[in-house]
């Protein structure tokens, strides 16, 4: 039987693709288990204070799982940004013919602009949820900002995947390169 140190060394030296596949498999498995518990066990339990409402048994588990995954994503994003900045320090702005610095600044500025515009366009009308009125304008706009930014970024991701899958960018680049060579 292998020791913990040997297992850790095999994980440390594993390719990043294998590690990310394993982490994804664990997260997806946990998510499926949590959602199955949420929907299949005690979903129709009445709320004690008002039986007209439902209080699923595993609501707290679902919320804690969502918070944990969200916080882990934010923490790993911060770590990745810090490591990326440390690794790029002193490196040229262009790497292998790719303007890395311009792309990084474009992504950062685009994200900030998307967040700012979606906050400015956010709806701040009071909401009635389960008989309770939510009227804090700041939090209503923040909620809309996160929802709208998520939708915009998902649409951008789908568009980028579509462009990459069609090879349109490579065709355009190839034609431009041929035109410049002549």
């Amino acid at each position: 039987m292998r020791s913990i140190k040997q297992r850790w060394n095999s994980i440390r030296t594993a390719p990043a693709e294998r590690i990310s596949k394993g982490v994804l498999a664990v997260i997806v498995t946990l998510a499926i288990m949590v959602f199955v518990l949420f929907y299949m066990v005690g979903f129709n339990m009445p709320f004690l204070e008002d039986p007209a409402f439902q209080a699923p048994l595993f609501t707290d588990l679902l919320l804690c799982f969502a918070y944990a995954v969200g916080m882990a994503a934010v923490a790993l994003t911060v770590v990745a940004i810090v490591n990326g900045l440390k690794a790029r320090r002193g490196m040229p702005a262009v790497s292998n013919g790719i303007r890395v610095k311009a792309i990084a600044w474009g992504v950062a500025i685009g994200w900030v602009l998307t967040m700012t515009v979606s906050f400015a366009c956010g709806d701040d009308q009071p909401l009635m949820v389960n008989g309770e009125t939510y009227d804090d304008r700041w939090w209503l706009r923040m909620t809309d900002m996160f929802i709208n930014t998520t939708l915009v970024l998902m649409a951008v991701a789908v568009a980028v995947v579509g462009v990459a899958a069609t090879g349109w960018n490579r065709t355009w680049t190839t034609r431009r390169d041929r035109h410049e060579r002549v």
Side-chain angles (χ1 to χ4, degrees), residues 82-137:
V82 169
N83 285 342
L85 290 174
K86 284 181 181 179
R88 294 286 314 154
R89 188 176 297 147
M91 299 286 273
V94 177
S95 177
N96 294 329
I98 299 170
R99 296 181 302 173
V100 180
K101 193 171 187 178
I103 292 172
W105 277 107
V107 168
I109 291 169
W111 179 75
V112 169
L113 283 175
T114 303
M115 295 286 273
T116 304
V117 169
S118 62
F119 180 81
C121 295
D123 189 15
D124 60 358
Q125 297 300 316
L127 291 176
M128 181 75 75
V129 178
N130 289 338
E132 187 176 338
T133 302
Y134 293 93
D135 58 358
D136 188 340
R137 295 178 68 186

Side-chain angles (χ1 to χ4, degrees), residues 26-52:
V26 168
I27 292 173
V28 168
T29 303
L30 286 174
I32 290 170
M33 288 172 36
V34 167
F35 278 103
V36 165
L37 280 173
F38 179 75
Y39 284 112
M40 299 296 180
V41 180
F43 183 74
N44 295 322
M45 291 181 57
F47 187 54
L48 293 177
E49 295 178 17
D50 187 357

Side-chain angles (χ1 to χ4, degrees), residues 114-171:
T114 303
M115 295 286 273
T116 304
V117 169
S118 62
F119 180 81
C121 295
D123 189 15
D124 60 358
Q125 297 300 316
L127 291 176
M128 181 75 75
V129 178
N130 289 338
E132 187 176 338
T133 302
Y134 293 93
D135 58 358
D136 188 340
R137 295 178 68 186
W138 168 261
W139 285 113
L140 290 168
R141 281 186 181 258
M142 287 292 285
T143 303
D144 267 5
M145 176 188 72
F146 287 120
I147 292 170
N148 293 334
T149 300
T150 300
L151 293 174
V152 166
L153 293 178
M154 288 171 74
V156 168
V158 167
V160 167
V161 167
V163 168
T166 62
W168 178 77
N169 187 30
R170 286 178 290 231
T171 306

